[in-house]
Amino acid sequence: MIDTLAAVGRWTAFATSALPAAVVSLVRPSWWGKPLYSVLVGGIPLAAVTGLVIGIVVWVHTRGALARTGTGAVEYLPTFLAAAVLLELAPVGAGLIVAARTGASLAAELAAMRVNEQIDALELLGQSPTKRLVGPRVLACVIAVPLLHVVIAVVALGSGYFAEAVAGQTTWLKYSSAIIRELRIDEVLPSGLKTLAFGLLVGVTGCFVGLTADGGSEGVGRATTQGVVLSVLLVLAADAVLVGVIRLL
């Protein structure tokens, strides 16, 4: 219990220094451009596939349930699909994609640098690892997760429309009108902004686990596993907390 509390304290202290470093990195695109490219190149295909599956699967299940409800209930299918995608599935899906992929890569990369004493060499040269390595990577994650959220949402809603159009039940005008009929911007926008928190948590956690790794090559392996597990757990926990906060506002 004491060790867990100590680890939480160290993570919190690390996060309080990583966030200012990420803000400072904004003025140096050359620092965070490569990490952002790396996150997006691997994340966009996964986001597209995730959106495609979400759109079709939700459409199939929702349409069947609405068809059994009664005549005319199927007209609300686009609204239900958009609510599920925009309010929950797309933000969480983007967070989990980056957590699973980038959380591991950040932890492995920085753990290898720690084991090979590259971090120590950087400190001897008078450069801050937090400012030079952590800040740009955290910023890249914060930028990437909202972009992947948009990809998932667009593909999911597009695949839902395609499935409904193939069934001969709708037109684009009717479909888009049904989407915006019930959804409000004060619901959609906060749900989308959750992705900023997800990106921050993944970036900070991956870097923290990597920089605190030890034990040679085995330590790199442990850091990689911990980076994925902790990032996924924090994204899910943050989603539960933020949903409650959004409902209270």
Side-chain angles (χ1 to χ4, degrees):
M1 182 65 179
I2 295 178
D3 292 340
T4 301
L5 293 176
V8 171
R10 290 194 298 270
W11 183 93
T12 303
F14 182 82
T16 57
S17 62
L19 182 56
V23 174
V24 171
S25 298
L26 276 171
V27 299
R28 295 182 178 272
S30 60
W31 286 11
W32 52 266
K34 185 177 180 180
L36 177 61
Y37 177 80
S38 177
V39 176
L40 288 179
V41 164
I44 287 178
L46 292 173
V49 173
T50 300
L52 181 65
V53 172
I54 287 174
I56 293 177
V57 170
V58 173
W59 175 82
V60 170
H61 289 298
T62 305
R63 197 175 201 287
L66 291 176
R68 293 190 299 270
T69 301
T71 305
V74 176
E75 295 181 2
Y76 291 94
L77 189 150
T79 303
F80 283 111
L81 175 61
V85 170
L86 296 176
L87 300 184
E88 187 63 22
L89 297 179
V92 174
L96 292 179
I97 287 173
V98 176
R101 186 179 181 278
T102 306
S105 65
L106 287 178
E109 180 184 10
L110 294 183
M113 295 178 70
R114 170 63 75 186
V115 170
N116 294 331
E117 299 182 346
Q118 291 175 270
I119 303 295
D120 297 332
L122 192 65
E123 291 174 339
L124 287 175
L125 293 174
Q127 297 191 39
S128 168
T130 301
K131 182 178 179 181
R132 187 65 183 85
L133 299 176
V134 176
R137 286 164 173 78
V138 171
L139 179 61
C141 291
V142 171
I143 297 174
V145 179
L147 294 177
L148 294 177
H149 160 245
V150 173
V151 173
I152 294 175
V154 170
V155 175
L157 295 178
S159 61
Y161 165 71
F162 179 77
E164 189 71 359
V166 169
Q169 300 297 321
T170 191
T171 63
W172 174 249
L173 180 60
K174 183 178 178 181
Y175 183 83
S176 58
S177 298
I179 287 178
I180 64 176
R181 181 168 52 203
E182 299 295 338
L183 293 180
R184 302 196 308 266
I185 189 65
D186 61 339
E187 292 179 334
V188 175
L189 185 59
S191 296
L193 292 177
K194 291 190 301 184
T195 57
L196 297 175
F198 297 161
L200 177 64
L201 289 172
V202 172
V204 169
T205 302
C207 292
F208 172 76
V209 171
L211 288 178
T212 56
D214 56 14
S217 58
E218 293 183 359
V220 175
R222 287 195 301 270
T224 304
T225 302
Q226 291 175 355
V228 175
V229 174
L230 292 177
S231 295
V232 169
L233 289 177
L234 285 176
V235 167
L236 294 176
D239 180 59
V241 172
L242 291 174
V243 167
V245 172
I246 291 172
R247 291 301 177 189
L248 291 175
L249 296 178

